[in-house]
Amino acid sequence: MLGYGNSYPREEAENVHIHHNIFYSTGTNPNIDWVGGIVTSGFYNTLVENNVFDDTYHAAIVHMYPTDASTDLSPKDTGYTTIIRNNIIVNTLQRKKGPDGTGYAVINSLPETHSFVLENNCLYNNSAGNYNNASSTSNICVDPHFANEKNHDYHLKSTGGRLNGKTWVKDTVSSPCIDAAYPDSDYSKEPGNSGNRTNIGRYGNTEWASISGNRLGYVVWWNQLFSPEWKTFRLLLKMFFLFCFNVLY
């Protein structure tokens, strides 16, 4: 997404909203360096919101423009801003052409004219780290606990319930991305117990959002003990008390 030269009016290159997508294994072209999940320059107030980036090459989001083209594609103004909010960015890889300095979650190759605003994203296991010429005080750097990352099921695990494609199921852990998005983001489309705050990731503020439950690290084990997932454990525990102490609980 490139704006260049002096010929385009600002209103044609501002307020783009990129949301609720899955970017998987993008940026694999070995012949060019302008690759990634989202490559942009010369745009004002772009909002990248509630997406998942997994196994993207170079960076999930990068400010840059092609320098090997016959046309000068450099933007001529300043003050270009991209807002990155409520996204999950994992497993970013080094670019295939000129890999040095790549593999970050977010890269700003144009810091003199472009800037990032990063709010309430989840960043995890990115090969070079999380930021290059960018920073944030509200991002979290933890395993998002996808339902099945190998098969690209990016629903969030939840003790309160998540959609498995056909029905709602409950997990024994809850993703730290549940109810962790930007506080002012809309959550009205989330089902059931929304926690009055939307989820980070592709399904935040949608009818497919995972339901609020006990967050990882704060699991109420007494409630978990009597959940359906612990049925086998309860049976073994009952047998233990019966045969060892002749006691039924």
Side-chain angles (χ1 to χ4, degrees):
M1 191 172 69
L2 306 175
Y4 62 92
N6 297 311
S7 60
Y8 65 94
R10 176 174 177 138
E11 59 267 22
E12 293 184 3
E14 67 177 347
N15 300 325
V16 174
H17 190 194
I18 303 171
H19 60 100
H20 295 100
N21 302 284
I22 293 171
F23 295 82
Y24 174 74
S25 197
T26 58
T28 60
N29 192 325
N31 300 310
I32 58 176
D33 60 5
W34 39 286
V35 296
I38 296 173
V39 180
T40 182
S41 62
F43 272 69
Y44 301 89
N45 300 323
T46 301
L47 176 58
V48 181
E49 183 177 38
N50 283 106
N51 303 282
V52 169
F53 299 83
D54 184 15
D55 281 334
T56 58
Y57 288 77
H58 188 184
I61 304 103
V62 55
H63 281 155
M64 70 174 303
Y65 59 87
T67 57
D68 56 356
S70 57
T71 302
D72 179 9
L73 299 178
S74 61
K76 304 303 182 183
D77 204 348
T78 61
Y80 303 107
T81 300
T82 300
I83 303 164
I84 305 174
R85 179 184 295 162
N86 303 343
N87 302 280
I88 299 177
I89 303 174
V90 297
N91 306 320
T92 303
L93 301 166
Q94 286 188 313
R95 188 175 63 198
K96 294 188 176 183
K97 179 180 180 180
D100 291 348
T102 69
Y104 292 91
V106 177
I107 297 177
N108 186 5
S109 297
L110 308 169
E112 294 183 357
T113 55
H114 292 63
S115 62
F116 283 118
V117 176
L118 294 104
E119 298 172 323
N120 297 79
N121 303 281
C122 176
L123 313 175
Y124 182 70
N125 197 39
N126 298 296
S127 63
N130 294 326
Y131 316 111
N132 188 336
N133 289 327
S135 63
S136 173
T137 60
S138 60
N139 288 344
I140 58 176
C141 301
V142 292
D143 186 343
H145 285 283
F146 293 126
N148 191 333
E149 185 177 357
K150 182 178 179 180
N151 292 321
H152 315 309
D153 181 353
Y154 297 106
H155 290 86
L156 302 176
K157 289 184 177 181
S158 174
T159 59
R162 65 169 168 86
L163 193 64
N164 71 354
K166 296 181 180 179
T167 187
W168 290 87
V169 297
K170 292 185 178 182
D171 300 292
T172 57
V173 297
S174 279
S175 168
C177 295
I178 294 175
D179 301 340
Y182 185 67
D184 292 335
S185 294
D186 186 16
Y187 58 86
S188 61
K189 295 180 182 178
E190 294 197 0
N193 177 16
S194 68
N196 295 329
R197 190 168 175 176
T198 195
N199 298 344
I200 297 174
R202 159 66 180 88
Y203 300 102
N205 196 33
T206 72
E207 60 186 297
W208 308 287
S210 297
I211 298 172
S212 301
N214 302 307
R215 291 192 186 182
L216 188 67
Y218 300 92
V219 175
V220 181
W221 291 106
W222 181 257
N223 292 337
Q224 286 296 301
L225 182 62
F226 291 95
S227 68
E229 292 83 0
W230 287 66
K231 181 178 179 180
T232 301
F233 177 79
R234 291 199 304 273
L235 179 59
L236 293 174
L237 187 63
K238 182 177 181 179
M239 293 174 62
F240 173 79
F241 279 105
L242 178 62
F243 291 106
C244 294
F245 301 101
N246 196 27
V247 173
L248 288 176
Y249 67 93

